[in-house]
Amino acid sequence: ERQLLLVTMLAYAAAAWFFGTHVARTDDSSARRGKMSLALGFCAHTLSILVHLAAVGLLPVTSFGEGLSFFAWLIVGSFLVVGRGGRLSAIGVVVGPLAAIMVVGAVVFFGESAPIPPELRSPWLPIHVTLAFLGNAVFGIAFAVSLIYLFQEGRLKSRRGAWLLRRLPSLEQLDRLNYRCLVWGFPLLSLGIITGGIWAANTWGHFWSGEAREVLSLLTWVIYAGLLQFRLMGGLRGRRAATLTIVGSALVGV
């Protein structure tokens, strides 16, 4: 499993380099190499998760390092689905380094899995974890999109770096993708919170305990719910939407 993670780390780092070269030099061949490296890394990453699942019988989410690995896997998988068209490859300049850094953390904190506590053997746990992590991964893509949006807008206002702007997605394209990520990520996050409460109620007898992680999850849900509501009403787009998306993603990271 650790060897597969090392292969994954190298592939993601290579993808980050290729995507950076693509944006800096408008090299379409670098974009293709970046996607290929990312896809190869994703395959090795998938194998590492399957090896862990076969050995332990549980998704790799019970430790900090395992959580980083699983989160990176879902972010890369989400990007491979949504970043297939044209200039959207440029989003890889954020996704590639982000995934590589998380896998580095997974390798650094890698350790033998501890015995599984009885409360983690609930069938609700994999459902809760998969939905919550997947929702956060989609928001991770929205975070990358929002960073590029703010960068793109800043360049346009300053009228500098026109050569670079031609290599990035348009503001309209980025805003539309941000909205799509919200539409998909919010229901997944909501289901993750609900199934987590059901798991807690079945295991400990209470749906809500008021712990810091639960409070942050609820606050994140409120921010994204408000953001999605305002977007649906047509009153929030562009820079403000991108900024609030980054704030919500920061809370997810906490």
Side-chain angles (χ1 to χ4, degrees):
E1 182 184 354
R2 189 173 189 276
Q3 290 172 343
L4 286 167
L5 283 176
L6 287 171
V7 173
T8 301
M9 179 184 69
L10 294 174
Y12 288 170
W17 171 264
F18 286 130
F19 282 125
T21 302
H22 163 63
V23 171
R25 301 179 183 174
T26 320
D27 185 355
D28 290 337
S29 64
S30 291
R32 290 193 296 270
R33 293 189 186 102
K35 286 186 177 181
M36 185 177 297
S37 296
L38 208 62
L40 290 173
F42 182 75
C43 290
H45 208 164
T46 302
L47 286 175
S48 75
I49 291 174
L50 292 176
V51 167
H52 182 94
L53 188 60
V56 180
L58 191 68
L59 289 173
V61 292
T62 57
S63 68
F64 178 69
E66 291 177 358
L68 284 176
S69 173
F70 192 61
F71 191 34
W73 179 71
L74 288 172
I75 286 180
V76 171
S78 299
F79 172 71
L80 290 174
V81 172
V82 303
R84 292 174 294 180
R87 293 183 180 181
L88 292 179
S89 297
I91 301 171
V93 80
V94 177
V95 173
L98 183 63
I101 290 170
M102 285 192 286
V103 176
V104 167
V107 171
V108 170
F109 292 102
F110 184 85
E112 295 296 329
S113 298
I116 303 174
E119 61 269 19
L120 296 185
R121 296 184 181 276
S122 168
W124 283 104
L125 179 62
I127 299 174
H128 159 65
V129 166
T130 301
L131 289 170
F133 270 72
L134 185 55
N136 290 338
V138 175
F139 288 140
I141 300 298
F143 169 78
V145 170
S146 298
L147 283 181
I148 296 177
Y149 184 98
L150 295 179
F151 176 80
Q152 173 93 303
E153 186 189 49
R155 287 279 177 166
L156 285 171
K157 286 183 176 180
S158 65
R159 298 183 179 180
R160 293 183 300 171
W163 60 273
L164 180 58
L165 298 181
R166 290 192 295 268
R167 306 170 192 183
L168 298 175
S170 67
L171 292 180
E172 182 181 355
Q173 197 173 13
L174 290 169
D175 189 63
R176 187 165 57 247
L177 181 55
N178 189 358
Y179 173 70
R180 285 171 54 195
C181 288
L182 290 174
V183 169
W184 282 99
F186 182 71
L188 290 168
L189 177 64
S190 301
L191 289 172
I193 292 174
I194 292 171
T195 53
I198 295 173
W199 169 47
N202 288 339
T203 303
W204 294 290
H206 50 76
F207 186 90
W208 173 269
S209 63
E211 295 180 357
R213 183 175 296 275
E214 293 178 340
V215 173
L216 282 173
S217 295
L218 181 60
L219 181 58
T220 303
W221 185 90
V222 170
I223 289 176
Y224 280 123
L227 179 56
L228 184 58
Q229 176 67 19
F230 280 121
R231 293 214 59 158
L232 289 172
M233 294 171 61
L236 187 68
R237 295 186 62 187
R239 182 180 182 85
R240 288 183 298 170
T243 302
L244 282 177
T245 299
I246 291 173
V247 171
S249 299
L251 288 174
V252 169
V254 174

